[in-house]
Structure formats: C-alpha cells, structure tokens
Amino acid sequence: MAGREREGLLDEDEDDEGVSDLSPLCDPTHLLHRIVVLIFMCFLGFGSYFCYDNPAALQTQLIQDMSLNTASFMQLYAWYSWPNVVLCFLGGFLLDRVFGIRLGTIIFALFVLIGQIIFAAGALANHFWLMNLGRFVFGIGGESLAVAQNTYAVNWFKGKELNLVFGLQLSMARLGSTVNMNIIGWVYGRIEVLLGSAGHTTLGITLMIAASTCLFSLTCALILGFLDRRAEKILHKEQGKTGEVIKLTDVKDFPFSLWLIFIVCVAYYVAIFPFIGLGQVFFIEKFAFTTVQARAINSIVYIISAPASPLLGFVVDKTGRNILWVMLAVVTTLLSHMMLAFTFWNPWIAMCLLGLSYSLLACALWPMVAFVVPEHQLGTAYGFMQSIQNLGLALMSMAAGSILDLKGYLFLEVFFIACLCLALLAVVLLHLYDYYKEGDLNLSASARASRIKSEDARRLAVPHPSEDERGPLKPLSPFGLRNRYLSRLGVQMPDHCCPHLSSLAYRSVLK
C-alpha cells in the first residue's frame, strides 16, 4: 500500500492488459509516449505567457497608436488582475467539481484565445474599452490554465520525475515571456513596413498574430485531452484533480505571521511587475537605449529567473533561514531600484541583480506559508495570498501609471522604493515575531531536522488508535504531489504538513 501511495496516472510498473502489445509511441506507460505528452504539456501555457506581456513589449506603440496616457496603458494589466482576485479561489474547484481536468483545460485555453482576439480586435477597431475587455477575458483563463497544467503534470508523472517536469514548465513559461519581449516589437515593425505606416491597424494585426500562440496552446489542450482520455480508457484510471481545499472560514484563523507574509508579497511584487510593464520607455529615455536594447534589458529578469530559481532554491533548501533569504532579496531589489533611480551606472548591473533577487524571493517567501498554517488550510492560504497579490497589482498598476503621467519616472522609482521599504519593514517584524514565538521560519536546515525528530519522538510516545479507528488508508492526493518541483525551491516543512506547495504558489513563481 505504501509503495503505491505516490503513483501517478502512468505507473510504468503497472501491467494492464492490452498495453503490452502497443508500440512505444502509443503505449501510455512507455517513456517515449510520456515525453510526447510532456511536450504538449509544456507548450500548454506558452501562449498565455507570450501574450501576457504584449503591452510591455509594445508600450511605445500602444500609447502612440491608441492615443493613451500611461495610466490608461496600465489599465491593461489591471484588467488582467481583476478576475483573478476571485478566480484564485475558484479555479481548482471548477476543474475538480464542474468541468473536469480535460474540459476545464480546453475552456480556460479558449478563454485565453478569445481574450487575446478581443484585445487585438479592440486595436483594429480603435476602441480601447474593447481592449480592456479582452484583457479581462484573457485573465479569466490565464491563471486557471496554470492550475490545469500542474494537474496534468501530477496525473502523468510521479516521484522524482516531477522535479524535471516542473523545471521544464518553468523554463517554457520564461521562454514565452522572453520571446514576446524580444520578438513582438520586430513583428510590429514588419507589419508597419508592409502597410506603409504605423497606427492602430498595424497594432491590431500584430496582436492578432500574437493570438496564434494562444491558438497553438489551445491545440495542445485538445491533444492533451485526447491523450489523457485515451490513457484513462486503456489504464482504467480516473481524471486528475487539483486537490485544492478552499475554505474561506479559515481566514479568521490565520496567524499574525501569515498576514506579514501577505504584506511582503504584495509590497514586493508591485515593485516588479508594474516596473517591467513600464520599463521599455524608461531605458530609452534615461539611458538612451535603442528600442532593441530596451526590450532586451527589460526581459533579463525573466531570462535570469529560469536557471536561477532551481539553483537558489537548492541553496535555500540546504541552508534554511528563509527569513534572512527573503530579507536579502528585498534589500538587493531595493538597491537595484535605487541604482536605476539615482545613478547612471550601467543598468544591466541593476537589472541582473533584480533578476537574481526576484528569483530568490520566490524560492524563500512562498514556502514559508507552509510553516505557519496547518496542511488543511494551505489551499485557502495560498488562494488568499494570490488573491491579495492580484488585487495589489491591479491597484498599484493604475497608481504607477498615474504617477508616471503626473511626476515622471524619478517619482515612480521613489514609489517603488517606498513599497520595498514597506516590504523590508514587514520582513523585520516577521523576523522579530518568529523569534519571539520560537517559530520555524528562520531556523537552519539542521535545526529544523532536529525539531522534526523531537516532535516525531513525542508523537511516538502517544498511543496510536487501532486500525479500525483509523479507517482505511488513503493514497496521497495530487495536492501532495503536484508541486514537488517547488519543494526544490526552499520548501522544508514540518512533518505534519504536506511537503509540497500549492499550484497557486507555482503560478506566482512563473508570473
């Protein structure tokens, strides 16, 4: 029984009738077939990540062609975040109880495609309100599609394979963001040459071409659904489930340390994503970069985070001390923004430092939730954390645009610095509170291991209920397996907690 608790959908040791006579490419239990599935799985979210930062890559063109100010431009990011203030709680429920993983994935991929088409149609028709509607629809599908992607990964892979699978998904997400930052502007230029002039028509055609990546992702969703359905019939398995348990009533039981973690999360990320959204023009205006150079440096945060996240996560995993690592990430991000705001040093230095800091914070911050809440509240805690993050991004994106219109980039950088100072203050308070409560957040890896052993010894001294009282053993849920990759990003959880993170946390690492 224990040996089968961690089996995924496709256990290579399982001997089902009718499988052995299939070719390796058609055999759902064979590695070659699963590699094919993995390819479609990785490309499932490519279109979403490619199109998410279309506005950032086309900042100058959007503002000029649609006659926008910066505040209106940043509404495109705000409208993406608004639906996810609520959907962070509902995405897993819809996949589990309403649609199922296959139909749910197709529906969310369809939302992403339709949203991008509406976004492009708004540019073609020169109606900015329609573009905002498109980003809203796009946001409905984007976050939940990531949850579906993670569920597929757990359903098809198991054990240590998940480390590689989530690593490849992270790299593909970063690839989509990076390709967008460096390619979509070039596409706009080619369309401009063909049409003979710039304008909203050129912009709309460019965005419609970008929608082809969402169509590609929808195709991957359809193929995955077919392959998953076929494997279910052959292996007599059930559809995968997200395993998320969301209970809003748990919010009243959240400890003070968790609320401090929420503050750090919001105050930090509002200094990252809105800056990237507005960064291209900043580098052109202050550092006299060409458009190509500005796109390249604006994407370096995403490029660095792909290889740095697993490496830094390994360091956090081996050393512990999560609070100190979070404090280091916030301080180095603060230094990066100060260098960009008050000096004319080579901005590549500050941006590379920002990319490393961004990766380090994701490795150390999100796992801390599992140290301060019990396992049955993890789904609610991560859902609430992601909801607050999206709410903060929506509000601060609009605020950042207004500040830039009224005061310029220097005051905008001061605003970001103030947000990071708030994050730093919250980290200091979290450290003091954890020290006072003798918590686990800043223990070394060896100290945590010793504490877990002592807790195990105390539990062994307590009489255990009989087998009849315990009831039948239940296999580990997909929630307990899904984010095994994120466990490499600094997760060292108490023994009573599930040693893996929520897919909501995984999505935030990717964002």
Side-chain angles (χ1 to χ4, degrees):
M1 174 67 73
R4 295 184 60 84
E5 283 185 346
R6 295 182 178 271
E7 290 183 357
L9 171 66
L10 303 180
D11 188 345
E12 292 185 18
D13 296 330
E14 187 167 350
D15 186 16
D16 289 274
E17 293 184 6
V19 175
S20 58
D21 57 345
L22 296 175
S23 67
L25 192 61
C26 299
D27 181 358
T29 64
H30 197 277
L31 178 62
L32 183 60
H33 182 85
R34 295 194 296 152
I35 289 176
V36 174
V37 172
L38 177 60
I39 293 173
F40 289 111
M41 199 180 297
C42 288
F43 279 106
L44 180 62
F46 181 86
S48 173
Y49 287 104
F50 182 92
C51 293
Y52 171 76
D53 268 324
N54 278 173
L58 296 170
Q59 179 185 354
T60 303
Q61 294 89 336
L62 264 166
I63 292 175
Q64 291 178 351
D65 295 346
M66 302 301 295
S67 301
L68 305 175
N69 57 21
T70 312
S72 298
F73 167 78
M74 289 303 289
Q75 288 180 14
L76 296 172
Y77 283 99
W79 280 106
Y80 174 90
S81 296
W82 285 125
N84 295 302
V85 174
V86 176
L87 281 178
C88 289
F89 294 103
L90 297 180
F93 173 79
L94 292 175
L95 288 171
D96 281 349
R97 305 292 179 86
V98 182
F99 302 130
I101 179 61
R102 291 189 289 268
L103 180 59
T105 302
I106 294 171
I107 289 175
F108 291 133
L110 193 60
F111 267 106
V112 169
L113 174 61
I114 293 174
Q116 181 66 17
I117 291 175
I118 295 174
F119 182 48
L124 286 170
N126 199 21
H127 292 316
F128 185 65
W129 66 266
L130 191 60
M131 298 183 74
N132 281 329
L133 176 61
R135 291 291 286 183
F136 183 86
V137 175
F138 183 86
I140 291 175
E143 298 288 315
S144 298
L145 187 61
V147 178
Q149 187 180 32
N150 297 333
T151 307
Y152 265 127
V154 172
N155 203 28
W156 280 84
F157 297 90
K158 60 175 183 175
K160 294 182 179 179
E161 292 175 338
L162 285 176
N163 295 332
L164 175 61
V165 170
F166 283 117
L168 291 174
Q169 288 182 353
L170 173 62
S171 299
M172 190 56 62
R174 289 295 171 242
L175 177 63
S177 301
T178 303
V179 171
N180 162 69
M181 286 290 190
N182 292 279
I183 295 297
I184 199 67
W186 176 85
V187 173
Y188 180 95
R190 297 304 94 197
I191 300 299
E192 181 181 359
V193 171
L194 290 175
L195 296 181
S197 63
H200 65 88
T201 302
T202 302
L203 177 64
I205 294 174
T206 302
L207 294 174
M208 198 65 76
I209 292 175
S212 63
T213 61
C214 300
L215 178 61
F216 174 65
S217 292
L218 176 60
T219 303
C220 291
L222 292 169
I223 296 175
L224 271 176
F226 168 76
L227 294 176
D228 191 69
R229 175 67 173 172
R230 177 177 176 272
E232 179 184 299
K233 289 182 176 180
I234 294 176
L235 302 177
H236 310 292
K237 298 285 186 178
E238 295 182 356
Q239 288 196 57
K241 296 182 181 294
T242 66
E244 298 290 354
V245 179
I246 303 294
K247 294 181 179 179
L248 292 180
T249 55
D250 289 338
V251 173
K252 68 180 186 302
D253 300 322
F254 286 168
F256 178 68
S257 55
L258 183 61
W259 292 103
L260 290 175
I261 292 174
F262 290 164
I263 294 174
V264 175
C265 175
V266 175
Y268 182 85
Y269 282 112
V270 298
I272 300 295
F273 300 128
F275 173 75
I276 293 176
L278 296 169
Q280 183 175 318
V281 174
F282 170 74
F283 293 112
I284 293 175
E285 291 185 358
K286 180 170 183 177
F287 297 99
F289 275 23
T290 65
T291 303
V292 174
Q293 290 173 326
R295 292 172 191 154
I297 194 172
N298 205 34
S299 64
I300 194 64
V301 173
Y302 292 144
I303 296 174
I304 289 177
S305 67
S309 291
L311 294 176
L312 291 173
F314 178 78
V315 173
V316 175
D317 186 44
K318 292 300 180 182
T319 60
R321 308 285 186 185
N322 288 60
I323 292 181
L324 291 184
W325 287 116
V326 170
M327 188 177 298
L328 177 62
V330 173
V331 169
T332 51
T333 303
L334 181 59
L335 292 175
S336 299
H337 274 285
M338 293 177 69
M339 290 168 59
L340 292 170
F342 305 122
T343 75
F344 283 89
W345 297 350
N346 189 331
W348 282 96
I349 300 174
M351 290 300 288
C352 289
L353 186 61
L354 185 63
L356 290 171
S357 305
Y358 165 74
S359 304
L360 178 59
L361 183 117
C363 297
L365 178 68
W366 290 86
M368 289 200 299
V369 175
F371 289 98
V372 297
V373 298
E375 180 184 356
H376 71 274
Q377 292 182 347
L378 280 178
T380 306
Y382 279 120
F384 199 80
M385 189 173 180
Q386 187 74 356
S387 177
I388 292 178
Q389 183 193 34
N390 277 286
L391 178 61
L393 287 174
L395 295 175
M396 293 304 178
S397 293
M398 294 187 295
S402 299
I403 292 172
L404 183 56
D405 284 334
L406 296 174
K407 298 295 184 178
Y409 272 105
L410 178 59
F411 280 86
L412 179 62
E413 279 291 352
V414 172
F415 171 72
F416 290 147
I417 289 171
C419 292
L420 290 168
C421 288
L422 175 61
L424 182 59
L425 176 62
V427 174
V428 173
L429 291 176
L430 180 62
H431 177 60
L432 295 175
Y433 183 81
D434 184 72
Y435 178 80
Y436 173 74
K437 291 291 187 177
E438 298 183 350
D440 297 332
L441 296 181
N442 209 40
L443 291 179
S444 65
S446 58
R448 284 177 184 165
S450 299
R451 177 171 292 189
I452 290 174
K453 288 181 180 179
S454 63
E455 291 176 354
D456 288 343
R458 286 197 298 269
R459 278 196 295 270
L460 288 174
V462 178
H464 293 284
S466 64
E467 185 174 346
D468 294 336
E469 293 173 333
R470 286 197 306 263
L473 293 176
K474 295 182 179 180
L476 192 63
S477 68
F479 177 77
L481 290 172
R482 181 175 57 254
N483 286 316
R484 194 171 178 89
Y485 171 72
L486 277 182
S487 70
R488 306 301 300 175
L489 306 186
V491 180
Q492 290 184 0
M493 299 170 58
D495 190 60
H496 67 278
C497 291
C498 170
H500 308 287
L501 293 182
S502 164
S503 60
L504 298 172
Y506 179 74
R507 171 69 177 182
S508 291
V509 173
L510 296 181
K511 265 182 97 172

